[in-house]
Amino acid sequence: MTKISTTRLDEMKASGEKIVSLTAYDASFATVLDEAGIEIILVGDSLGMVLHGEDSTLNVTMEDMIYHTRQVVTGTRHAMIVVDMPYKSYLNPAQALSNAKRLLNEGGADVVKLERGEQNICEIVRHIVSHDIPVCGHLGLTPQSIEELGGYKVQGRDPAAAKQIKLDALALQEAGASMLVLECVPSSLAASITSELGIPVIGIGAGAECDGQVLVIYDILGISGHQAKFSKDFLGAAHSIQDAVKTYVSAVKSGDFPAIEHQFS
Ligand code: KIV
């Protein structure tokens, strides 16, 4: 089976086939996801919360991301591996490029992901992309800005905030981002951004109209301590972790997940 490329994701957006993604942080889970046919494995800095037990992603380091990316790469044959650039690892274009190269060269990442979409972030994206490193943007609820956002809250509910998220999405695309994660925004806003952008939009708490869906693996296995509205425990009704992951893949592909109760208005 061939490795998933950004071209393949573009084709899936064009044809309307849903893109499926989950997080993984080690080789064993990566193999389960890969064998279930997941297109994107995200080595998220959510590992700071679900592996390290912290209440934010802010203490995750480059060394953490490289360590876990190497494990995921070992367990993966087919899926694209997108890796989060940790907090404060992309403060300026030179530092961002140097750290993005480390995630590819030392970790084995295929794509790097960074949060927010202001002008300085778009300059950083442009710089990384100009060195042939694919970038995934991340807008809406951006966990690295949790202190500024005042908590894990739905973003883009008022018209000005919605307009800004859409402008940021267009600016990230213009800067060369290959795809975008939209987290915790009203479904109508995500639908409108998904139809305006040429690049794939992967939602988490962003409704059913996105080109694809991503969730944290421990959330779909019901072991994160709490069930967010936008997530679902797929293990409860399954016989095994493999079965739960396959059920999630089928539910995203068929459009059964996310259902209305997992969405924000
Ligand atoms: O870190 C992460 O797992 C993420 C997802 C929640 C999108 O960024």
Side-chain angles (χ1 to χ4, degrees), residues 16-259:
E17 182 183 348
K18 294 290 183 189
I19 298 164
V20 191
S21 178
L22 278 173
T23 66
Y25 318 99
D26 67 37
S28 299
F29 273 107
T31 300
V32 171
L33 271 46
D34 203 50
E35 290 179 350
I38 278 188
E39 279 90 19
I40 301 173
I41 297 179
L42 172 63
V43 188
D45 60 357
S46 51
L47 66 84
M49 301 172 81
V50 296
L51 298 190
H52 300 172
E54 304 209 353
D55 59 6
S56 79
T57 60
L58 302 184
N59 290 328
V60 174
T61 64
M62 277 295 298
E63 279 62 38
D64 293 330
M65 297 312 297
I66 290 167
Y67 175 73
H68 288 285
T69 302
R70 285 169 72 111
Q71 297 175 22
V72 168
V73 168
T74 303
T76 306
R77 287 169 183 264
H78 169 65
M80 170 185 282
I81 299 172
V82 176
V83 179
D84 266 328
M85 300 198 65
Y87 182 56
K88 290 195 173 166
S89 71
Y90 50 100
L91 293 173
N92 59 63
Q95 182 218 23
L97 177 62
S98 155
N99 283 326
K101 282 182 176 168
R102 287 192 68 198
L103 292 175
L104 266 70
N105 297 337
E106 296 173 45
D110 298 314
V111 175
V112 298
K113 175 163 92 55
L114 42 80
E115 297 184 4
R116 302 177 68 130
E118 296 92 330
Q119 201 183 341
N120 66 315
I121 296 290
C122 289
E123 275 165 28
I124 286 166
V125 170
R126 197 169 282 113
H127 189 59
I128 296 175
V129 170
S130 75
H131 287 77
D132 293 327
I133 298 177
V135 172
C136 174
H138 184 156
L139 295 174
L141 199 176
T142 46
Q144 292 176 13
S145 317
I146 203 62
E147 283 164 4
E148 195 180 317
L149 296 177
Y152 295 95
K153 300 174 188 161
V154 179
Q155 302 295 308
R157 273 192 162 138
D158 71 82
K163 184 174 171 195
Q164 191 57 55
I165 292 173
K166 191 182 275 192
L167 288 173
D168 288 351
L170 288 164
L172 283 168
Q173 171 173 268
E174 198 274 325
S178 299
M179 67 188 98
L180 176 69
V181 167
L182 263 187
E183 180 166 354
C184 290
V185 298
S187 300
S188 55
L189 174 61
S192 138
I193 292 173
T194 302
S195 71
E196 267 195 49
L197 291 193
I199 57 174
V201 175
I202 315 296
I204 171 165
E209 301 300 318
C210 296
D211 300 306
Q213 301 293 326
V214 60
L215 286 176
V216 170
I217 180 75
Y218 292 174
D219 287 345
I220 75 154
L221 301 179
I223 53 172
S224 299
H226 80 290
Q227 195 67 60
K229 174 182 165 69
F230 56 79
S231 188
K232 179 177 171 179
D233 176 356
F234 283 87
L235 185 59
H239 302 299
S240 64
I241 289 175
Q242 285 87 341
D243 189 24
V245 171
K246 283 182 190 153
T247 307
Y248 166 71
V249 173
S250 307
V252 173
K253 291 281 182 197
S254 67
D256 287 348
F257 181 83

